[in-house]
Amino acid sequence: MQRTIFDSPILRHILPGLGRLMLRIFGWKIEGEFPDLPKYILIGAPHTSNWDFPVGIAICFARQQKVYWMGKHTLFWGPLGPIARWLGGIPVDRRKSNSLVEQMVHVYGEHERLVVAIPPEGTRKKVEKWKTGFYYIALGSQLPIVLGFIDFGRKVGGCGEVFYPTGDIEADMAKIRAFYAPIKGKNPENQ
């Protein structure tokens, strides 16, 4: 993976304080801890607004967590491209029918430590059901799924339980969705 902000020794010491300051200014709190695991899939839900990103980044900064994230390929064009990559962004071109699941399983297999945040909605718009790629990446990589959340209703974000997929996607998704049921996105009408 490319270098990120936490690869810089100076920023590694400045960013946690900056993340905590930003959360405090805007009235946010962190609940739960990032698990001490070398590799996992981090669900980022609900994803209903562009504001999810700065809140999520501030939480990662505050907890000194190196988390990669997948974003629409157009975010990586122009002058913002290097910044997005530096912040841990991985461009995804949704116009092409490529096996993103297989690619990510391969990427996880090549790294000793890797956390990728994936929004299961795949967009900020309202969707009828979640995309299941995150589940199949976890299953194919034999990795846990960490239930990360940003609750605009309570102004709290962080990590919930560590979930190990069983292969019974219907039962597993029901459990995962039950965890997110009380959590409110910035635009709850898009959940």
Side-chain angles (χ1 to χ4, degrees), residues 1-181:
M1 304 301 308
Q2 67 274 2
R3 291 179 55 84
T4 67
I5 50 179
F6 288 108
D7 294 323
S8 164
I10 295 169
L11 291 178
R12 194 175 319 132
H13 290 84
I14 294 171
L15 292 177
L18 181 62
R20 286 189 298 272
L21 176 64
M22 294 305 295
L23 293 170
R24 193 174 311 126
I25 287 170
F26 292 104
W28 281 80
K29 291 189 171 41
I30 301 175
E31 277 184 3
E33 296 295 328
F34 286 83
D36 186 19
L37 298 169
K39 297 193 277 191
Y40 56 89
I41 307 292
L42 177 65
I43 291 180
H47 183 41
T48 66
S49 164
N50 287 334
W51 284 104
D52 300 339
F53 183 77
V55 172
I57 288 288
I59 291 168
C60 290
F61 285 179
R63 292 288 198 240
Q64 294 182 290
Q65 295 297 307
K66 185 175 186 174
V67 176
Y68 292 89
W69 49 276
M70 293 191 292
K72 194 174 182 179
H73 69 285
T74 55
L75 293 172
F76 298 85
W77 291 349
L80 292 181
I83 295 168
R85 283 183 181 81
W86 186 67
L87 286 169
I90 302 168
V92 175
D93 189 347
R94 294 183 288 188
R95 298 172 303 176
K96 297 179 181 175
S97 70
N98 50 16
S99 179
L100 185 59
V101 170
E102 288 176 21
Q103 289 177 43
M104 289 306 297
V105 168
H106 180 74
V107 168
Y108 268 104
E110 292 180 330
H111 291 85
E112 289 183 34
R113 299 191 67 80
L114 182 61
V115 176
V116 178
I118 302 174
E121 295 98 337
T123 181
R124 294 172 310 276
K125 299 175 185 147
K126 184 169 179 64
V127 295
E128 293 305 313
K129 65 182 204 171
W130 282 3
K131 295 179 181 286
T132 54
F134 76 91
Y135 183 87
Y136 288 110
I137 293 167
L139 202 59
S141 302
Q142 299 179 327
L143 293 174
I145 298 167
V146 174
L147 307 182
F149 64 94
I150 297 176
D151 187 344
F152 277 84
R154 298 184 305 129
K155 284 194 160 184
V156 172
C159 293
E161 67 181 271
V162 177
F163 185 87
Y164 290 87
T166 66
D168 182 349
I169 190 167
E170 288 188 29
D172 289 350
M173 289 298 284
K175 289 176 186 171
I176 291 169
R177 297 220 21 129
F179 172 83
Y180 287 100

